[in-house]
Amino acid sequence: ATYLLQHGKIHAELSRIDSYKNKVETAIKVEEPIASFPFHAYTLSQDIRIDGWDSLKPYKIVYVRGYVFPKIYLKNHNTHVVNSVKAAFAFIKSKRADLYIEEILTATSVLNSPDFDSTGIKRLEPPVTFLNTYTFFSSKYSDYAKSYHNALVEIKEKGIYQKILSETQ
């Protein structure tokens, strides 16, 4: 998708974290966030207390290859990379890592899947962080980016955005 955006083959990437701009410097970031996601730590342990990224330094953390946020927020942590969310949870399950950081929707879909035994894995509170995601448009589509921004702000102000979210949950 990054290649396609860089070359104007797609109009936009719907939901990327702010640092995506570093990867596609020509992209136009819509300043209004599309969403804000809580990212939680998942673990087998009962004794881990969460208070932001620095509180995770004593632990071995598994993350999924290609995710951008670990390279930013976990660069000074003890980490191990795997190829999928399911593999990350399997790492936790086999006690090869202490923590996996993920947003709730993705985590829940794996943990509730019938082909994965999630017994003992729990989500820690509070979230490690909330990450805003933004829409990035190809530089070829600056007019679309402006229209999209205005429309997104408008539907949020009118409560339409929240209504759509609540109906889909």
Side-chain angles (χ1 to χ4, degrees):
T2 299
Y3 173 84
L4 296 173
L5 186 69
Q6 286 172 324
H7 294 88
K9 305 278 186 198
I10 59 174
H11 290 80
E13 275 285 332
L14 180 62
S15 184
R16 296 286 189 158
I17 64 173
D18 189 51
S19 63
Y20 187 69
K21 180 73 172 162
N22 300 334
K23 200 170 190 176
V24 187
E25 293 176 3
T26 60
I28 301 165
K29 176 185 150 195
V30 174
E31 289 302 321
E32 182 67 25
I34 189 73
S36 182
F37 295 100
F39 276 71
H40 288 269
Y42 291 83
T43 186
L44 291 173
S45 174
Q46 301 286 343
D47 301 323
I48 297 174
R49 301 291 170 248
I50 303 297
D51 187 19
W53 295 109
D54 284 342
S55 69
L56 308 180
K57 284 188 178 176
Y59 305 104
K60 184 171 184 178
I61 303 166
V62 62
Y63 73 91
V64 177
R65 184 180 323 280
Y67 281 20
V68 175
F69 78 86
K71 294 175 184 160
I72 297 166
Y73 301 108
L74 298 174
K75 63 183 171 191
N76 297 318
H77 293 63
N78 180 11
T79 60
H80 184 82
V81 65
V82 295
N83 291 323
S84 71
V85 173
K86 188 174 180 181
F89 280 120
F91 235 66
I92 295 296
K93 188 76 177 166
S94 67
K95 299 181 182 177
R96 295 174 65 195
D98 301 306
L99 299 171
Y100 174 55
I101 314 301
E102 185 60 79
E103 51 83 21
I104 292 172
L105 295 175
T106 301
T108 302
S109 70
V110 172
L111 294 174
N112 290 342
S113 68
D115 65 334
F116 186 79
D117 176 15
S118 62
T119 306
I121 297 176
K122 65 180 181 299
R123 182 179 74 219
L124 299 178
E125 296 289 347
V128 176
T129 194
F130 286 84
L131 288 179
N132 285 337
T133 60
Y134 302 89
T135 302
F136 287 84
F137 277 81
S138 166
S139 59
K140 290 183 175 184
Y141 303 105
S142 61
D143 289 344
Y144 289 162
K146 289 175 195 168
S147 296
Y148 175 90
H149 174 266
N150 294 339
L152 184 57
V153 168
E154 182 179 345
I155 66 169
K156 284 183 175 184
E157 287 173 352
K158 290 181 176 181
I160 297 167
Y161 185 87
Q162 189 57 43
K163 185 176 185 236
I164 291 169
L165 287 180
S166 65
E167 288 175 357
T168 59
Q169 292 179 356

